[in-house]
Each structure stands twice: as structure tokens, then as C-alpha cells.
């Protein structure tokens, strides 16, 4: 009897389908019959394939069959890889593809002219927050696929960016979605901790995918702070805001305390929708104090709800001018004694640093090669001058050589239209 298990993975039985779960967040499906038929063609024997305790079970003792099945599964892994939570196809970005990791908002690195570098290893989210700025999560109506960047390739580009930006950097792990979906998240934290130019490692998270083991691993790897997205302390309201009926608020609150106990600072980061959860502000402050959040950085990071063109903009969410929002925060500071609530870059040790020089000027016409499909309809991703360009409103295909006009260059994120 063969009991097969591949590194960093386990198998699940889904009836006629055997599912490989790889590194917690990625999946690939195989039909039992196709595995059995492949074995029959190769070895001229009839076997049964099943799953038990995470192992793939094959009723034979032939070690050659074990090697063959392992090869078979891994050979088809790339084309079948999907996000476990969004169920979308995964495009795995690695060095051999020669895809730049600067210029595109969805993955790679973003430099906004400070000592903080945003590090985005993957896309996708396990929640579908009703106010999500990028329409992410399992119930997204616009996102077509997800990306994962190989960790060695991501760190190669990070090292280059760090050399340009200098020492004393904060590496901030975020995403168009949930950073914990990145399959190499612990290894990424460790690699950044070992980098001589990095002083602080922070991460944005909704906390759902945390568990005691992962918290300890992140702490040991060197994570300094988690900006934890908790938008209500009422379980039912939280489910509504997070867009998921199975959202477990108590688990997230427990994980917030576990992070603090493990030595990782926590900043509670609610998005405030006036008329919905602004009346919970003092409860958020009380919770932050209770768990000991904000030991080195601010304990609260209240965010004002903003509607976005490609986001979810629920009818219950009424935008409030920032002037009124900041007045509300200052009154909270006076009433509760919790300061600062009006946050400034210096509260996080952020300061201006020269931008990595722009590769393009706004209005410039550029010859580019389309290298990837985009995440939404009518979008493709092209490259030129070792940068990525988001090309919108196009029907171009991967491999096409096209001329584009650059319409946006802000923070080194390039958006263009086909000429």
C-alpha cells in the first residue's frame, strides 16, 4: 500500500475528485479516474486511488508507481493551480518569465516616495467585504484571475529596490486582498528580516487565516506589526460588513490577543461607515487597550470609507468629508484619552525618500509587449523598459507588440491605453 504525500501539501477527497492543497492557500484538482487510467497505461495494472488522513492511497507496493504518480501530479500542477478561497486560476510569476515586479498595482513592489516599500506577493481574498475598494474575495463580480509571485524572484526585486532606497526601510506586506493567502508568507517575513536594509516588517490582515501555530511562526520569523482589519465588535454586524456568513469574529479577536502575546504589535484598523459602525469607536479603543495593542506604534488606525470606481460601494455607505472625519477623531481623542487617532507618517517612522526614477512620462507613446492577462475585463499587462504597464480598454492578447499611451505614472504605477 502506497501512502503518498508531497512537500508542503496534503490531499482531500471530494468524491470523484482528489484535491491537492498546497501551502495552505492553493489547490489543484485531479479526477480519480485520470490518475488510475494513467497508471494503467504506464504499468498495465488496475489500481484504486483514495485519500486517507491527507495521504493519497494507492493499493499497490510498486515504488515505481509512487514515483510516477508524484511526477504526474506535479507535472500538471501549474496549469490546474487555483486560489483555495476565490477558486480563480493562479498565474505563478517566476524568474524564467522575465516579468518585471515594478509598475503594476496588483503584485510586486510599490514605492510611494518614502522609506516604506509595499510588498505584494499575491492577489485574492478569503472575505468579500461590502466596501472593498477592489471588489475582491469569493463573491467578486469583476476579478478574473489571481497571481502568485515566487518568493526568490520577489526577494531579488526587493533587493534591487532596497539598494536604490537605502537602509532603514519598512517592508509592508499588503495585497489586493489578504496577504496571508501568499503561500510563502512565513518565508517572506524571514527573508525580509535577514535583509540588511530592512528595519521594520509590517503586514495588513483580516486575521481570519491566523492560528496559534502561524502566529508563532510569524513571530519567530521577525514580523513586527499587524494592521488588523476588524470593522465591528458585534458578531452579526461583522458578518454583514465582511460579506461572509461564516465570519468568526471571536476567532479574530483571539488572534489579535495571540499576536500581542507573541510579541507582534497590533494596530486595530476599522473602516468607519458613519451610521453603521461609528458608534463602536469607543468599544474599539477599549478592546485595543484590553489586549495591549499599540506598544510601539499607534493602537488604532480608523479609516474613513471612500467609494472607488472598481470597488463595492454599498447603498448603506454614505461618504463623509475628511474634514468632518478628522474632527470626529479629535473629539474621540479628547473623550477617551487615546492618542494619536489622527495619524501622521511620523507616528510610524515614515519619512520621504527619493522615488525610484520613473520609466515613462505621462502622455508618452511607448512600444510594449503584452505579457499577462489582466485581472478585470478589458485589461492586459504589458512590459517595456523593465517595467509593467496596466493597459486598459484593450482586446490585445498575450504576445502582441503594441503601442500604448501612458495616462498615469503616479507612484511608479503605470496605466496606459492602446494607441
Amino acid at each position: 500500500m502506497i501512502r503518498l504525500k508531497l512537500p508542503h501539501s496534503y490531499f482531500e477527497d471530494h468524491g470523484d475528485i482528489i484535491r491537492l492543497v498546497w501551502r495552505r492557500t492553493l489547490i489543484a484538482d485531479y479526477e480519480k479516474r485520470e490518475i488510475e487510467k494513467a497508471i494503467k497505461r504506464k504499468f498495465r495494472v488496475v489500481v484504486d486511488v483514495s485519500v486517507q488522513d491527507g495521504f493519497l492511497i494507492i493499493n499497490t507496493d510498486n515504488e515505481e508507481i509512487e514515483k510516477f504518480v508524484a511526477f504526474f501530479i506535479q507535472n500538471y500542477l501549474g496549469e490546474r493551480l487555483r486560489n483555495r478561497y476565490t477558486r480563480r486560476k493562479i498565474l505563478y510569476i517566476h524568474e524564467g518569465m522575465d516579468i518585471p515586479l515594478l509598475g503594476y498595482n496588483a503584485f510586486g513592489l510599490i514605492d510611494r516616495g518614502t522609506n516604506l516599500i509595499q510588498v505584494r506577493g499575491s492577489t485574492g481574498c478569503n472575505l468579500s467585504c461590502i466596501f472593498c475598494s477592489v471588489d475582491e474575495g469569493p463573491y467578486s463580480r469583476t476579478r478574473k484571475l489571481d497571481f502568485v509571485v515566487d518568493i526568490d524572484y520577489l526577494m531579488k526585486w526587493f533587493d534591487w529596490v532596497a539598494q536604490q532606497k537605502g537602509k532603514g526601510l519598512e517592508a509592508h506586506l499588503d495585497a489586493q486582498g489578504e496577504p496571508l493567502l501568499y503561500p510563502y508568507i512565513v518565508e517572506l517575513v524571514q527573508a525580509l528580516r535577514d535583509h540588511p536594509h530592512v528595519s521594520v516588517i509590517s503586514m495588513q490582515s483580516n486575521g481570519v487565516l491566523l492560528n496559534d501555530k502561524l502566529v508563532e511562526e510569524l513571530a519567530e520569523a521577525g514580523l513586527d506589526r499587524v494592521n488588523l482589519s476588524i470593522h465591528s465588535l458585534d458578531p452579526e454586524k461583522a458578518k454583514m460588513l465582511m460579506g461572509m456568513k461564516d465570519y468568526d469574529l471571536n476567532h479574530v479577536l483571539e488572534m489579535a490577543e495571540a499576536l500581542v502575546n507573541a510579541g507582534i504589535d497590533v494596530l486595530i484598523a476599522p473602516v468607519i461607515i458613519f451610521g453603521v459602525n461609528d458608534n463602536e469607536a469607543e468599544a474599539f479603543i477599549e478592546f485595543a487597550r484590553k489586549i495591549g495593542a499599540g506598544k510601539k506604534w499607534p493602537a488604532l488606525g480608523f479609516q474613513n470609507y471612500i467609494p472607488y470606481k472598481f470597488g463595492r460601494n454599498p447603498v448603506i455607505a454614505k461618504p463623509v468629508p475628511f474634514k468632518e472625519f478628522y474632527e470626529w477623531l479629535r473629539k474621540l481623542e479628547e473623550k477617551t484619552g487615546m492618542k494619536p487617532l489622527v495619524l501622521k507618517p511620523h507616528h510610524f517612522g515614515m519619512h520621504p525618500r527619493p522615488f525610484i526614477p520613473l520609466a515613462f512620462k505621462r502622455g508618452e507613446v511607448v512600444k510594449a509587449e503584452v505579457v499577462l492577462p489582466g485581472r478585470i475585463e478589458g485589461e492586459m499587462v504589458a512590459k517595456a523598459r523593465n517595467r509593467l504597464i496596466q493597459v486598459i480598454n484593450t482586446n490585445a492578447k498575450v504576445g502582441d507588440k503594441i503601442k500604448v499611451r501612458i495616462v498615469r505614472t503616479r507612484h511608479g504605477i503605470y496605466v496606459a491605453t492602446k494607441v
Side-chain angles (χ1 to χ4, degrees):
M1 189 75 67
I2 291 173
R3 289 166 56 85
L4 176 64
K5 210 170 197 180
L6 301 179
H8 308 291
S9 65
Y10 61 89
F11 293 95
E12 293 178 343
D13 191 325
H14 290 264
D16 293 333
I17 298 295
I18 287 176
R19 175 166 294 165
L20 175 72
V21 180
W22 183 51
R23 286 186 170 270
R24 301 177 295 109
T25 63
L26 305 177
I27 58 174
D29 288 345
Y30 303 81
E31 291 185 5
K32 288 181 181 178
R33 288 185 302 172
E34 70 172 320
I35 299 174
E36 292 168 350
K37 285 182 178 179
I39 294 171
K40 184 178 180 180
R41 283 195 304 269
K42 176 73 174 178
F43 296 95
R44 300 189 182 280
V45 296
V46 176
V47 299
D48 290 320
V49 175
S50 60
V51 172
Q52 183 180 339
D53 299 327
F55 287 86
L56 185 67
I57 306 299
I58 310 171
N59 63 333
T60 178
D61 293 322
N62 188 333
E63 293 182 359
E64 291 303 312
I65 291 180
E66 180 177 9
K67 294 177 183 177
F68 171 77
V69 173
F71 174 79
F72 179 88
I73 289 171
Q74 292 177 85
N75 188 52
Y76 288 100
L77 182 61
E79 66 186 56
R80 302 189 186 198
L81 210 55
R82 290 183 294 140
N83 185 307
R84 185 180 182 183
Y85 298 94
T86 68
R87 296 294 194 266
R88 294 191 288 256
K89 179 178 173 58
I90 291 286
L91 285 183
Y92 191 90
I93 308 298
H94 55 83
E95 186 167 8
M97 297 172 70
D98 193 27
I99 301 291
L101 296 186
L102 283 173
Y104 187 40
N105 204 29
F107 65 81
L109 307 168
I110 300 175
D111 164 30
R112 300 189 188 273
T114 72
N115 61 319
L116 182 145
I117 302 299
Q118 290 171 254
V119 182
R120 296 185 166 181
S122 63
T123 62
C125 193
N126 55 313
L127 301 180
S128 292
C129 297
I130 66 170
F131 49 79
C132 179
S133 63
V134 292
D135 185 31
E136 252 304 345
Y139 302 138
S140 175
R141 295 168 295 177
T142 58
R143 305 291 142 171
K144 300 190 301 179
L145 56 82
D146 284 321
F147 295 99
V148 169
V149 183
D150 180 76
I151 183 172
D152 292 335
Y153 191 48
L154 186 60
M155 284 305 302
K156 179 178 179 179
W157 270 83
F158 181 87
D159 184 60
W160 183 85
V161 169
Q163 297 297 330
Q164 314 305 307
K165 298 291 290 186
K167 295 185 177 181
L169 299 178
E170 176 174 345
H172 183 62
L173 313 184
D174 66 358
Q176 284 190 341
E178 170 56 48
L180 286 179
L181 265 64
Y182 186 54
Y184 306 104
I185 190 67
V186 175
E187 294 89 339
L188 178 58
V189 172
Q190 184 66 67
L192 291 167
R193 176 52 61 211
D194 293 339
H195 198 285
H197 285 50
V198 174
S199 298
V200 175
I201 305 169
S202 58
M203 181 172 68
Q204 194 76 31
S205 178
N206 60 47
V208 171
L209 300 180
L210 290 171
N211 55 51
D212 290 333
K213 181 176 182 291
L214 183 54
V215 167
E216 287 300 323
E217 289 175 342
L218 290 169
E220 290 175 9
L223 184 63
D224 292 301
R225 187 182 77 249
V226 172
N227 300 346
L228 200 59
S229 300
I230 304 174
H231 307 301
S232 177
L233 295 174
D234 175 87
E236 293 308 310
K237 189 191 295 185
K239 289 178 183 180
M240 180 270 292
L241 290 171
M242 295 300 197
M244 303 294 286
K245 293 180 180 179
D246 61 352
Y247 176 75
D248 187 347
L249 174 63
N250 287 333
H251 171 75
V252 175
L253 299 183
E254 289 173 2
M255 288 301 100
E257 192 164 4
L259 287 166
V260 173
N261 291 339
I264 299 172
D265 209 355
V266 168
L267 177 148
I268 307 297
V271 171
I272 296 299
I273 302 176
F274 284 86
V276 177
N277 63 347
D278 57 305
N279 61 338
E280 297 189 63
E282 292 181 43
F284 282 124
I285 292 170
E286 182 181 346
F287 175 72
R289 282 175 168 152
K290 174 187 171 185
I291 66 171
K295 285 185 168 60
K296 187 173 180 180
W297 293 278
L300 277 299
F302 290 110
Q303 303 166 78
N304 192 18
Y305 163 73
I306 305 172
Y308 288 88
K309 181 179 180 180
F310 293 106
R312 298 189 196 102
N313 302 308
V315 294
I316 64 170
K318 305 299 182 185
V320 167
F322 271 92
K323 182 179 180 181
E324 293 181 24
F325 177 68
Y326 289 130
E327 289 175 356
W328 178 77
L329 288 178
R330 291 187 184 96
K331 289 178 181 177
L332 266 180
E333 287 181 333
E334 293 175 7
K335 184 176 182 180
T336 65
M338 173 63 81
K339 295 182 180 182
L341 294 181
V342 178
L343 302 183
K344 304 290 185 182
H346 69 82
H347 292 133
F348 298 91
M350 287 176 59
H351 56 266
R353 290 273 179 98
F355 282 98
I356 293 173
L358 292 177
F360 312 103
K361 295 179 181 179
R362 188 175 178 183
E364 183 179 1
V365 175
V366 178
K367 291 181 180 180
E369 177 187 358
V370 180
V371 290
L372 294 169
R375 300 197 69 214
I376 62 176
E377 197 67 37
E379 172 190 302
M380 298 297 285
V381 184
K383 72 172 182 178
R385 300 176 193 168
N386 209 26
R387 295 291 185 272
L388 288 182
I389 305 168
Q390 177 188 5
V391 184
I392 58 175
N393 303 323
T394 182
N395 57 5
K397 296 179 176 59
V398 172
D400 288 353
K401 305 289 179 63
I402 60 177
K403 285 186 177 181
V404 299
R405 177 171 281 106
I406 305 296
V407 297
R408 174 180 168 142
T409 63
R410 182 174 169 79
H411 295 158
I413 298 169
Y414 303 107
V415 180
T417 54
K418 188 177 177 181
V419 175

